[in-house]
Amino acid sequence: MDSGEWDVLIAHFLGVDHCGHKHGPHHPEMAKKLSQMDQVIQGLIERLENDTLLVVAGDHGMTMNGDHGGDSELEVSAALFLYSPTALFPTAPPEEPEVIPQVSLVPTLALLLGLPIPFGNIGEVMTELFSGGHGSHPQASALAQVSALHINAQQVSRFLHAYSAATQDLQVKELHQLQKLFSKASASYQQLLQNPQEAGASLRTLTAELQQFLRGARAICLESWARFSLVRMAGGAALLAAACFLCLLASQLAVSPGFPFRPLLLTPVAWGLTWAMLYAGLSVTTGSKVDSVVLGAVAAAGSLPPFLWKVWANWGSTRPLVPLLPAPLPVLLLLLTRLATFFSDSFVVAEARATPFLLCSLILFLVAHLHWEDQLLQPKLLTVPRLGSSAPTGPPRHSGTYALRLGIGLLLCTRLSGLFHRCPEETPACHSSPWLSPLASMVGGQAKNLWYGACVGALVALLVVVRLWLRRYGNLKSPEPPVLFVRWGLPLMVLGTAAYWALASGADEAPPRLRALVAGASVMLPRAVMGLAASGLMLLLWRPVTVLVKAGAGASRTRTILTPFSGPPTSQADLDYVVPQIYRHMQEEFQGRLERTRTQGPVTVAAYQLGSVYSAAMVTALILLAFPLLLLHVERVSLVFLLLFLQSFLLLHLLAAGTSVTTTGPFVVLWQAVSAWALLANQTFYSTGHQPVFSAIHWHAAFVGFPDGHDSSTWLPALLVGANTFASHILFAVGCPLLLLWPFLCESQGPRKRQQLPGCEAEARARPEEEREEPLMEMRLRDAPHHFNAALLQLGLKYLFVLGVQILACALAASILRRHLMVWKVFAPKFIFEAIGFIVSSVGLLLGIALVMRVDGAVSSWFRRLVLAQQR
Amino acid sequence: MKDTDIKRLLYSNLLCVFSVFLSVFIPSLFLDNFSILETHLTWLCTCSTSVTGVNLLLHLVVKPNVSSRRSSLSHKVSRVLKCCIYFLLSCFFLHIIFVLYGAPLIELVLETFLFAVILSTFTTVPCLCLLGPNLKAWLRVFSRNGVTSIWENSLQITTISSFIGAWLGAFPIPLDWERPWQVWPISCTLGATFGYVAGLVSSPLWIYWNRKQLTYKSN
């Protein structure tokens, strides 16, 4: 300060704030702190020059506890102290000084420093400071004050003009009035400048007018900005809650036999449209503007009542009162805990740690629950009540250590993926994982090469895992195009990704001659990988049935009966088998019933692969989706993607161990399964290096495949960044039907063994048993198409409910805590991310269910073709 | 099941509660500056030893289970050794579970391990005292309809409530209250202790209230 080489000095004393938080305003410590501050200010004043202004301002007050952040009188009022060695004010300051808004400091200090007032300012200059001091002439000082006010008013008027042109959320009428006021004041100011002699009264009115303008401008801005529409908040929350309730209700009712599927779609849409048109017509006739938000809300609210009415009407008469939430109490409590955490800013900030904690708890609960229930029925007893002969021959479906091993594996994967953790802002104790930076930013060749190797290893492992899985269920043998794509296209994608990473991480080390080549390759490679993935998905949609039909359809039909018995029938068992087959064959030929052909399933070799036809398509789709998403992340996140697949695999096995397979429906997906799935999705969101704040968005994803940026299109970069941010939402939502399919997949180990040894004696003996049992594994689902549909609907609704309750909690937190200090920093971004994630998840869920239904349709037509070929 | 059994259970449980309180007050007689929060590790050790001691004492005096037929010295020694190994194994197992749950791997290793020790004291030691080193019996007790006496029922309740207490103890850690007990693993150990005490107190009461419904297979 003594050097004199400064224009502005800013000092911030944190001690008072800290002391207030710790002890409160009325503590002796506080008195000590305040007298210490007094001494500091006294020392400062003694050293002030004559042309210096000392401004002491508190940035906020405090409550009786010493806290702040709310909008109470105590918290928003702070002291303001102005001092200069030369006299500032023309008269003695009043005993009770007026309250000055904090925003007024900006224009005052700017003008005093001789700087232009910042564009966005809506404060009002403190006129007293422009009076020119004690000795100046009253008229001259009044003129100086008016000039300062006029500069300020000009700036505010310019801001209002620009702002209202850009947003149109200010009140038009009042804005117009203000503009009129300003032009009038401007005119009189010009007049005043031309003949300054006849001042006096006109000066005073001009000051009043300008001040009135400035205050009016501030008032309309405040009204428009710091305004919360409580009605809309309550309406939105009610609508969300009603939708969640609807999901819950429908998911419980979907399993009941007479559930109307078709009216469920059309009637609400019709009602919603009717209400929307009514509202639009009403607002047009009354002449008010049609608000799209209200329009949507009216349509949504209008579509709800008919369904609820129908349920209400049917409730008492036909159905017994179903318990609404048949989830086990601990799972329910866990979900409630999770919802409650959205209301605490600490927990939202720490959610990246809290979600794995809850997930681990749920996993351990599942393991313990399995053990707890298992003892009720001894492992061997468990299989007896089930129909069919598959179970008693095999070992017990799950021993105690099996579930425990799955659980420990899951915990290990969760912990490992927790290592990829990005810290939220302003958490000094937290350290972001260094593994979330791209490899290109690493120095040191050896470590870089090792990491690159690990990443490529993760890619290859991902590929191998999927191939092994498909081979295990036999689908890899099919000559269908999607399987061929998995065999040859996926390695190509891995190769492309690895090459792209090599180029991206080592771009600086490339020799200058190859620069052009490298640049071209880093454009083409990601696009090629994405194109391959898209074509793979197209192939999958085109021919989703991945079963093995060795020759043409016609030949396969004859062979399927004859192949296992090419040799002479050697035993009674063989004869027992052949005769009914021939009988059934003839019977079907006579009857020609096209749609009841599933009984032929076990006859063919292909039937074994049919057992996993749905999940094979799902897994293929997931891996095809995962590769482009992987490409959008930094290299080392590929390890997280590998962990993700392992985790979901283990979780599905664990959940399948706890689900009993019923032969003839109704099929249900348990609440704990859906909750665990949603938790896993959320955990993956964090472990792929994301946080629900805008500063943590991975913008670099927009430049993958487009290193030179996008010219003018905004949707493509938005799509890329969105896919990067919501990758886990997409993957888990699309993979949601696996929750339904997996128990059927895990049901039987027997057919696999038999399928590996086609045509041998063991198989021939195993068959008669199986023939009695008829369709296996996922073919059970085709057995009861109504239950299959109902289960899919129920699964989707349950997942939507779990996500919807989350978004409801986020919305409630953001609206209830709208005056909280952290609302714009924590709650509102969380709500926005959750809402977009919900939309992405719903679309993904629809796509996943649509894929299953497409496979279903394709399987039906496949059967039909088989039968037609047989009839010829 | 008689009321005297429940009474005995209540008294022995109260003795265990008393041992927990004792571990809070006794060390302050010998040590300066002793407090649960400041010298947390010391308290963990004393609490663990006193609870183990009282449990052993109860096991020797009350003997709720039928002692095994063979009672040769070598058998006894091997049994005790086995118990020690089981206890250590359970400590390591719990430590691993804590790390998997998100506890730091390298920093605060001693704290984490002592938390594992105290949780083992609340859960494994009563199991060892009551059931012996017999994993099958443990698994039986912790399953539906698996308990065969009020002692096992009480064991079930106290163990589960200790685990739940430790689990709930993790919740205050992320909050920004800046209290000294919000540090890993203090809140968890305190939670486990409260859970254990609550289980000890509530289990005889619960058994007393449900004594009509409770029927044990072999009793």
PDB file of all heavy atoms in Angstrom, chain A residues 337 344 346-347 357 360-361 364 371-373 375 412 415, chain B residues 99-103 139 142-144 156 167 170-171 174 176:
ATOM      1  N   THR A 337     -33.587 -44.263   1.258  1.00  0.00           N
ATOM      2  CA  THR A 337     -32.351 -43.596   1.675  1.00  0.00           C
ATOM      3  C   THR A 337     -31.738 -42.862   0.504  1.00  0.00           C
ATOM      4  O   THR A 337     -31.308 -41.716   0.603  1.00  0.00           O
ATOM      5  CB  THR A 337     -31.349 -44.639   2.182  1.00  0.00           C
ATOM      6  OG1 THR A 337     -32.021 -45.551   3.002  1.00  0.00           O
ATOM      7  CG2 THR A 337     -30.221 -43.989   2.928  1.00  0.00           C
ATOM      8  N   SER A 344     -29.720 -33.451   0.326  1.00  0.00           N
ATOM      9  CA  SER A 344     -28.582 -32.908   1.064  1.00  0.00           C
ATOM     10  C   SER A 344     -27.475 -32.584   0.079  1.00  0.00           C
ATOM     11  O   SER A 344     -27.085 -33.440  -0.714  1.00  0.00           O
ATOM     12  CB  SER A 344     -28.105 -33.940   2.085  1.00  0.00           C
ATOM     13  OG  SER A 344     -26.751 -33.729   2.370  1.00  0.00           O
ATOM     14  N   SER A 346     -24.377 -32.096   0.578  1.00  0.00           N
ATOM     15  CA  SER A 346     -23.167 -32.892   0.809  1.00  0.00           C
ATOM     16  C   SER A 346     -23.272 -34.246   0.142  1.00  0.00           C
ATOM     17  O   SER A 346     -22.311 -34.738  -0.446  1.00  0.00           O
ATOM     18  CB  SER A 346     -22.961 -33.104   2.302  1.00  0.00           C
ATOM     19  OG  SER A 346     -23.002 -31.908   2.980  1.00  0.00           O
ATOM     20  N   PHE A 347     -24.461 -34.839   0.225  1.00  0.00           N
ATOM     21  CA  PHE A 347     -24.604 -36.170  -0.351  1.00  0.00           C
ATOM     22  C   PHE A 347     -24.641 -36.112  -1.871  1.00  0.00           C
ATOM     23  O   PHE A 347     -24.151 -37.026  -2.533  1.00  0.00           O
ATOM     24  CB  PHE A 347     -25.860 -36.856   0.178  1.00  0.00           C
ATOM     25  CG  PHE A 347     -25.607 -37.617   1.434  1.00  0.00           C
ATOM     26  CD1 PHE A 347     -26.123 -37.202   2.632  1.00  0.00           C
ATOM     27  CD2 PHE A 347     -24.824 -38.750   1.407  1.00  0.00           C
ATOM     28  CE1 PHE A 347     -25.873 -37.901   3.796  1.00  0.00           C
ATOM     29  CE2 PHE A 347     -24.570 -39.456   2.566  1.00  0.00           C
ATOM     30  CZ  PHE A 347     -25.093 -39.025   3.759  1.00  0.00           C
ATOM     31  N   PHE A 357     -21.470 -47.359  -2.404  1.00  0.00           N
ATOM     32  CA  PHE A 357     -21.765 -47.835  -1.053  1.00  0.00           C
ATOM     33  C   PHE A 357     -23.138 -48.502  -1.020  1.00  0.00           C
ATOM     34  O   PHE A 357     -23.299 -49.623  -0.516  1.00  0.00           O
ATOM     35  CB  PHE A 357     -21.712 -46.652  -0.082  1.00  0.00           C
ATOM     36  CG  PHE A 357     -22.012 -46.995   1.343  1.00  0.00           C
ATOM     37  CD1 PHE A 357     -21.034 -47.537   2.153  1.00  0.00           C
ATOM     38  CD2 PHE A 357     -23.268 -46.785   1.869  1.00  0.00           C
ATOM     39  CE1 PHE A 357     -21.303 -47.864   3.456  1.00  0.00           C
ATOM     40  CE2 PHE A 357     -23.540 -47.108   3.173  1.00  0.00           C
ATOM     41  CZ  PHE A 357     -22.557 -47.648   3.965  1.00  0.00           C
ATOM     42  N   CYS A 360     -23.072 -51.729  -3.037  1.00  0.00           N
ATOM     43  CA  CYS A 360     -22.447 -52.821  -2.286  1.00  0.00           C
ATOM     44  C   CYS A 360     -23.412 -53.350  -1.232  1.00  0.00           C
ATOM     45  O   CYS A 360     -23.528 -54.570  -1.036  1.00  0.00           O
ATOM     46  CB  CYS A 360     -21.169 -52.335  -1.612  1.00  0.00           C
ATOM     47  SG  CYS A 360     -19.833 -52.060  -2.758  1.00  0.00           S
ATOM     48  N   SER A 361     -24.098 -52.423  -0.557  1.00  0.00           N
ATOM     49  CA  SER A 361     -25.042 -52.862   0.463  1.00  0.00           C
ATOM     50  C   SER A 361     -26.130 -53.727  -0.146  1.00  0.00           C
ATOM     51  O   SER A 361     -26.502 -54.767   0.405  1.00  0.00           O
ATOM     52  CB  SER A 361     -25.677 -51.663   1.142  1.00  0.00           C
ATOM     53  OG  SER A 361     -24.705 -50.784   1.584  1.00  0.00           O
ATOM     54  N   LEU A 364     -24.678 -57.174  -0.999  1.00  0.00           N
ATOM     55  CA  LEU A 364     -24.503 -58.026   0.189  1.00  0.00           C
ATOM     56  C   LEU A 364     -25.860 -58.448   0.741  1.00  0.00           C
ATOM     57  O   LEU A 364     -26.028 -59.572   1.216  1.00  0.00           O
ATOM     58  CB  LEU A 364     -23.697 -57.289   1.264  1.00  0.00           C
ATOM     59  CG  LEU A 364     -22.196 -57.266   1.011  1.00  0.00           C
ATOM     60  CD1 LEU A 364     -21.484 -56.722   2.212  1.00  0.00           C
ATOM     61  CD2 LEU A 364     -21.681 -58.660   0.705  1.00  0.00           C
ATOM     62  N   HIS A 371     -29.054 -66.594   1.220  1.00  0.00           N
ATOM     63  CA  HIS A 371     -28.696 -67.556   2.258  1.00  0.00           C
ATOM     64  C   HIS A 371     -29.853 -67.736   3.227  1.00  0.00           C
ATOM     65  O   HIS A 371     -30.223 -68.847   3.596  1.00  0.00           O
ATOM     66  CB  HIS A 371     -27.457 -67.097   2.994  1.00  0.00           C
ATOM     67  CG  HIS A 371     -27.196 -67.864   4.244  1.00  0.00           C
ATOM     68  ND1 HIS A 371     -26.798 -69.174   4.209  1.00  0.00           N
ATOM     69  CD2 HIS A 371     -27.334 -67.537   5.539  1.00  0.00           C
ATOM     70  CE1 HIS A 371     -26.679 -69.611   5.439  1.00  0.00           C
ATOM     71  NE2 HIS A 371     -27.000 -68.646   6.267  1.00  0.00           N
ATOM     72  N   TRP A 372     -30.440 -66.622   3.623  1.00  0.00           N
ATOM     73  CA  TRP A 372     -31.528 -66.634   4.597  1.00  0.00           C
ATOM     74  C   TRP A 372     -32.688 -67.475   4.071  1.00  0.00           C
ATOM     75  O   TRP A 372     -33.258 -68.295   4.779  1.00  0.00           O
ATOM     76  CB  TRP A 372     -31.957 -65.196   4.854  1.00  0.00           C
ATOM     77  CG  TRP A 372     -33.051 -65.026   5.842  1.00  0.00           C
ATOM     78  CD1 TRP A 372     -34.375 -64.915   5.560  1.00  0.00           C
ATOM     79  CD2 TRP A 372     -32.929 -64.922   7.253  1.00  0.00           C
ATOM     80  NE1 TRP A 372     -35.081 -64.744   6.707  1.00  0.00           N
ATOM     81  CE2 TRP A 372     -34.216 -64.746   7.768  1.00  0.00           C
ATOM     82  CE3 TRP A 372     -31.841 -64.960   8.129  1.00  0.00           C
ATOM     83  CZ2 TRP A 372     -34.460 -64.603   9.126  1.00  0.00           C
ATOM     84  CZ3 TRP A 372     -32.092 -64.820   9.478  1.00  0.00           C
ATOM     85  CH2 TRP A 372     -33.383 -64.651   9.959  1.00  0.00           C
ATOM     86  N   GLU A 373     -33.026 -67.292   2.806  1.00  0.00           N
ATOM     87  CA  GLU A 373     -34.169 -68.004   2.263  1.00  0.00           C
ATOM     88  C   GLU A 373     -33.820 -69.442   1.926  1.00  0.00           C
ATOM     89  O   GLU A 373     -34.690 -70.312   1.942  1.00  0.00           O
ATOM     90  CB  GLU A 373     -34.672 -67.304   0.998  1.00  0.00           C
ATOM     91  CG  GLU A 373     -35.227 -65.928   1.247  1.00  0.00           C
ATOM     92  CD  GLU A 373     -36.514 -65.958   2.043  1.00  0.00           C
ATOM     93  OE1 GLU A 373     -37.238 -66.958   1.925  1.00  0.00           O
ATOM     94  OE2 GLU A 373     -36.791 -65.014   2.782  1.00  0.00           O
ATOM     95  N   GLN A 375     -32.140 -71.679   3.411  1.00  0.00           N
ATOM     96  CA  GLN A 375     -32.242 -72.676   4.464  1.00  0.00           C
ATOM     97  C   GLN A 375     -33.681 -73.131   4.643  1.00  0.00           C
ATOM     98  O   GLN A 375     -33.927 -74.223   5.133  1.00  0.00           O
ATOM     99  CB  GLN A 375     -31.720 -72.111   5.785  1.00  0.00           C
ATOM    100  CG  GLN A 375     -30.226 -71.962   5.838  1.00  0.00           C
ATOM    101  CD  GLN A 375     -29.500 -73.250   5.517  1.00  0.00           C
ATOM    102  OE1 GLN A 375     -28.867 -73.358   4.474  1.00  0.00           O
ATOM    103  NE2 GLN A 375     -29.560 -74.229   6.403  1.00  0.00           N
ATOM    104  N   LEU A 412     -15.675 -56.339  -5.682  1.00  0.00           N
ATOM    105  CA  LEU A 412     -14.338 -56.039  -6.179  1.00  0.00           C
ATOM    106  C   LEU A 412     -14.418 -55.172  -7.432  1.00  0.00           C
ATOM    107  O   LEU A 412     -13.715 -54.159  -7.563  1.00  0.00           O
ATOM    108  CB  LEU A 412     -13.609 -57.347  -6.470  1.00  0.00           C
ATOM    109  CG  LEU A 412     -12.131 -57.226  -6.778  1.00  0.00           C
ATOM    110  CD1 LEU A 412     -11.396 -56.746  -5.558  1.00  0.00           C
ATOM    111  CD2 LEU A 412     -11.572 -58.549  -7.240  1.00  0.00           C
ATOM    112  N   ARG A 415     -15.443 -51.685  -6.522  1.00  0.00           N
ATOM    113  CA  ARG A 415     -14.354 -50.928  -5.921  1.00  0.00           C
ATOM    114  C   ARG A 415     -13.338 -50.499  -6.965  1.00  0.00           C
ATOM    115  O   ARG A 415     -12.853 -49.372  -6.970  1.00  0.00           O
ATOM    116  CB  ARG A 415     -13.680 -51.802  -4.847  1.00  0.00           C
ATOM    117  CG  ARG A 415     -12.519 -51.150  -4.160  1.00  0.00           C
ATOM    118  CD  ARG A 415     -12.977 -50.015  -3.306  1.00  0.00           C
ATOM    119  NE  ARG A 415     -12.025 -48.911  -3.314  1.00  0.00           N
ATOM    120  CZ  ARG A 415     -11.238 -48.581  -2.326  1.00  0.00           C
ATOM    121  NH1 ARG A 415     -11.313 -49.207  -1.200  1.00  0.00           N
ATOM    122  NH2 ARG A 415     -10.401 -47.599  -2.420  1.00  0.00           N
TER     123      ARG A 415
ATOM    124  N   VAL B  99     -12.624 -52.498   2.833  1.00  0.00           N
ATOM    125  CA  VAL B  99     -11.874 -51.897   1.734  1.00  0.00           C
ATOM    126  C   VAL B  99     -12.704 -51.957   0.451  1.00  0.00           C
ATOM    127  O   VAL B  99     -12.749 -50.996  -0.321  1.00  0.00           O
ATOM    128  CB  VAL B  99     -10.521 -52.602   1.564  1.00  0.00           C
ATOM    129  CG1 VAL B  99      -9.843 -52.150   0.295  1.00  0.00           C
ATOM    130  CG2 VAL B  99      -9.635 -52.291   2.748  1.00  0.00           C
ATOM    131  N   LEU B 100     -13.379 -53.079   0.248  1.00  0.00           N
ATOM    132  CA  LEU B 100     -14.215 -53.181  -0.947  1.00  0.00           C
ATOM    133  C   LEU B 100     -15.367 -52.187  -0.892  1.00  0.00           C
ATOM    134  O   LEU B 100     -15.823 -51.688  -1.903  1.00  0.00           O
ATOM    135  CB  LEU B 100     -14.762 -54.606  -1.089  1.00  0.00           C
ATOM    136  CG  LEU B 100     -13.752 -55.666  -1.459  1.00  0.00           C
ATOM    137  CD1 LEU B 100     -14.433 -57.005  -1.622  1.00  0.00           C
ATOM    138  CD2 LEU B 100     -13.053 -55.293  -2.747  1.00  0.00           C
ATOM    139  N   TYR B 101     -15.821 -51.896   0.288  1.00  0.00           N
ATOM    140  CA  TYR B 101     -16.907 -50.933   0.445  1.00  0.00           C
ATOM    141  C   TYR B 101     -16.443 -49.512   0.190  1.00  0.00           C
ATOM    142  O   TYR B 101     -17.245 -48.603   0.082  1.00  0.00           O
ATOM    143  CB  TYR B 101     -17.455 -51.010   1.869  1.00  0.00           C
ATOM    144  CG  TYR B 101     -18.844 -51.558   1.960  1.00  0.00           C
ATOM    145  CD1 TYR B 101     -19.081 -52.898   1.908  1.00  0.00           C
ATOM    146  CD2 TYR B 101     -19.925 -50.696   2.094  1.00  0.00           C
ATOM    147  CE1 TYR B 101     -20.345 -53.399   1.989  1.00  0.00           C
ATOM    148  CE2 TYR B 101     -21.199 -51.180   2.178  1.00  0.00           C
ATOM    149  CZ  TYR B 101     -21.409 -52.539   2.119  1.00  0.00           C
ATOM    150  OH  TYR B 101     -22.668 -53.026   2.188  1.00  0.00           O
ATOM    151  N   GLY B 102     -15.145 -49.287   0.142  1.00  0.00           N
ATOM    152  CA  GLY B 102     -14.672 -47.940  -0.155  1.00  0.00           C
ATOM    153  C   GLY B 102     -13.726 -47.369   0.873  1.00  0.00           C
ATOM    154  O   GLY B 102     -13.339 -46.211   0.767  1.00  0.00           O
ATOM    155  N   ALA B 103     -13.337 -48.137   1.879  1.00  0.00           N
ATOM    156  CA  ALA B 103     -12.359 -47.635   2.842  1.00  0.00           C
ATOM    157  C   ALA B 103     -11.007 -47.494   2.142  1.00  0.00           C
ATOM    158  O   ALA B 103     -10.718 -48.237   1.211  1.00  0.00           O
ATOM    159  CB  ALA B 103     -12.225 -48.600   4.012  1.00  0.00           C
ATOM    160  N   LEU B 139     -24.030 -70.851   9.949  1.00  0.00           N
ATOM    161  CA  LEU B 139     -24.895 -70.642   8.792  1.00  0.00           C
ATOM    162  C   LEU B 139     -26.338 -71.005   9.137  1.00  0.00           C
ATOM    163  O   LEU B 139     -27.271 -70.366   8.677  1.00  0.00           O
ATOM    164  CB  LEU B 139     -24.411 -71.479   7.613  1.00  0.00           C
ATOM    165  CG  LEU B 139     -23.105 -70.991   6.998  1.00  0.00           C
ATOM    166  CD1 LEU B 139     -22.681 -71.905   5.870  1.00  0.00           C
ATOM    167  CD2 LEU B 139     -23.267 -69.570   6.483  1.00  0.00           C
ATOM    168  N   PHE B 142     -27.997 -68.196  11.126  1.00  0.00           N
ATOM    169  CA  PHE B 142     -28.346 -66.991  10.365  1.00  0.00           C
ATOM    170  C   PHE B 142     -29.158 -67.329   9.136  1.00  0.00           C
ATOM    171  O   PHE B 142     -28.830 -66.948   8.015  1.00  0.00           O
ATOM    172  CB  PHE B 142     -27.089 -66.218   9.996  1.00  0.00           C
ATOM    173  CG  PHE B 142     -26.428 -65.659  11.204  1.00  0.00           C
ATOM    174  CD1 PHE B 142     -25.315 -66.244  11.753  1.00  0.00           C
ATOM    175  CD2 PHE B 142     -26.982 -64.556  11.837  1.00  0.00           C
ATOM    176  CE1 PHE B 142     -24.742 -65.740  12.892  1.00  0.00           C
ATOM    177  CE2 PHE B 142     -26.405 -64.040  12.974  1.00  0.00           C
ATOM    178  CZ  PHE B 142     -25.284 -64.642  13.515  1.00  0.00           C
ATOM    179  N   SER B 143     -30.196 -68.088   9.350  1.00  0.00           N
ATOM    180  CA  SER B 143     -31.121 -68.327   8.260  1.00  0.00           C
ATOM    181  C   SER B 143     -32.510 -68.425   8.868  1.00  0.00           C
ATOM    182  O   SER B 143     -32.654 -68.593  10.075  1.00  0.00           O
ATOM    183  CB  SER B 143     -30.770 -69.607   7.518  1.00  0.00           C
ATOM    184  OG  SER B 143     -30.755 -70.670   8.438  1.00  0.00           O
ATOM    185  N   ARG B 144     -33.486 -68.329   8.019  1.00  0.00           N
ATOM    186  CA  ARG B 144     -34.854 -68.309   8.532  1.00  0.00           C
ATOM    187  C   ARG B 144     -35.178 -69.638   9.217  1.00  0.00           C
ATOM    188  O   ARG B 144     -34.835 -70.702   8.713  1.00  0.00           O
ATOM    189  CB  ARG B 144     -35.819 -68.067   7.367  1.00  0.00           C
ATOM    190  CG  ARG B 144     -37.235 -67.920   7.814  1.00  0.00           C
ATOM    191  CD  ARG B 144     -38.130 -67.820   6.642  1.00  0.00           C
ATOM    192  NE  ARG B 144     -38.092 -66.467   6.076  1.00  0.00           N
ATOM    193  CZ  ARG B 144     -38.931 -66.069   5.126  1.00  0.00           C
ATOM    194  NH1 ARG B 144     -39.813 -66.898   4.648  1.00  0.00           N
ATOM    195  NH2 ARG B 144     -38.846 -64.844   4.652  1.00  0.00           N
ATOM    196  N   GLN B 156     -28.459 -63.914  17.053  1.00  0.00           N
ATOM    197  CA  GLN B 156     -28.862 -63.442  15.728  1.00  0.00           C
ATOM    198  C   GLN B 156     -29.172 -61.947  15.757  1.00  0.00           C
ATOM    199  O   GLN B 156     -28.673 -61.165  14.940  1.00  0.00           O
ATOM    200  CB  GLN B 156     -30.107 -64.225  15.337  1.00  0.00           C
ATOM    201  CG  GLN B 156     -30.401 -64.245  13.885  1.00  0.00           C
ATOM    202  CD  GLN B 156     -31.720 -64.932  13.633  1.00  0.00           C
ATOM    203  OE1 GLN B 156     -32.698 -64.713  14.358  1.00  0.00           O
ATOM    204  NE2 GLN B 156     -31.775 -65.741  12.607  1.00  0.00           N
ATOM    205  N   TRP B 167     -23.176 -50.062   9.541  1.00  0.00           N
ATOM    206  CA  TRP B 167     -23.570 -49.583   8.208  1.00  0.00           C
ATOM    207  C   TRP B 167     -24.136 -48.163   8.310  1.00  0.00           C
ATOM    208  O   TRP B 167     -23.785 -47.283   7.537  1.00  0.00           O
ATOM    209  CB  TRP B 167     -24.610 -50.549   7.639  1.00  0.00           C
ATOM    210  CG  TRP B 167     -25.032 -50.232   6.254  1.00  0.00           C
ATOM    211  CD1 TRP B 167     -24.311 -50.445   5.120  1.00  0.00           C
ATOM    212  CD2 TRP B 167     -26.285 -49.666   5.845  1.00  0.00           C
ATOM    213  NE1 TRP B 167     -25.033 -50.034   4.034  1.00  0.00           N
ATOM    214  CE2 TRP B 167     -26.239 -49.559   4.443  1.00  0.00           C
ATOM    215  CE3 TRP B 167     -27.421 -49.243   6.520  1.00  0.00           C
ATOM    216  CZ2 TRP B 167     -27.290 -49.051   3.714  1.00  0.00           C
ATOM    217  CZ3 TRP B 167     -28.472 -48.741   5.793  1.00  0.00           C
ATOM    218  CH2 TRP B 167     -28.404 -48.642   4.403  1.00  0.00           C
ATOM    219  N   ALA B 170     -21.792 -45.111   8.680  1.00  0.00           N
ATOM    220  CA  ALA B 170     -21.063 -44.521   7.552  1.00  0.00           C
ATOM    221  C   ALA B 170     -21.784 -43.299   6.993  1.00  0.00           C
ATOM    222  O   ALA B 170     -21.168 -42.517   6.281  1.00  0.00           O
ATOM    223  CB  ALA B 170     -20.888 -45.560   6.452  1.00  0.00           C
ATOM    224  N   PHE B 171     -23.055 -43.145   7.304  1.00  0.00           N
ATOM    225  CA  PHE B 171     -23.816 -42.083   6.654  1.00  0.00           C
ATOM    226  C   PHE B 171     -23.380 -40.665   7.024  1.00  0.00           C
ATOM    227  O   PHE B 171     -23.383 -39.799   6.165  1.00  0.00           O
ATOM    228  CB  PHE B 171     -25.310 -42.272   6.898  1.00  0.00           C
ATOM    229  CG  PHE B 171     -25.905 -43.261   5.947  1.00  0.00           C
ATOM    230  CD1 PHE B 171     -25.907 -44.602   6.250  1.00  0.00           C
ATOM    231  CD2 PHE B 171     -26.401 -42.856   4.730  1.00  0.00           C
ATOM    232  CE1 PHE B 171     -26.415 -45.528   5.361  1.00  0.00           C
ATOM    233  CE2 PHE B 171     -26.897 -43.768   3.838  1.00  0.00           C
ATOM    234  CZ  PHE B 171     -26.909 -45.103   4.153  1.00  0.00           C
ATOM    235  N   PRO B 174     -20.021 -38.134   4.852  1.00  0.00           N
ATOM    236  CA  PRO B 174     -19.919 -37.079   3.834  1.00  0.00           C
ATOM    237  C   PRO B 174     -20.489 -35.736   4.256  1.00  0.00           C
ATOM    238  O   PRO B 174     -20.240 -34.747   3.575  1.00  0.00           O
ATOM    239  CB  PRO B 174     -20.726 -37.635   2.660  1.00  0.00           C
ATOM    240  CG  PRO B 174     -21.127 -38.991   3.014  1.00  0.00           C
ATOM    241  CD  PRO B 174     -21.004 -39.134   4.465  1.00  0.00           C
ATOM    242  N   ASP B 176     -21.222 -32.101   5.966  1.00  0.00           N
ATOM    243  CA  ASP B 176     -20.228 -31.044   6.217  1.00  0.00           C
ATOM    244  C   ASP B 176     -20.421 -30.389   7.587  1.00  0.00           C
ATOM    245  O   ASP B 176     -20.313 -29.187   7.728  1.00  0.00           O
ATOM    246  CB  ASP B 176     -20.305 -29.987   5.115  1.00  0.00           C
ATOM    247  CG  ASP B 176     -21.699 -29.425   4.968  1.00  0.00           C
ATOM    248  OD1 ASP B 176     -22.595 -29.892   5.705  1.00  0.00           O
ATOM    249  OD2 ASP B 176     -21.916 -28.531   4.137  1.00  0.00           O
TER     250      ASP B 176
END
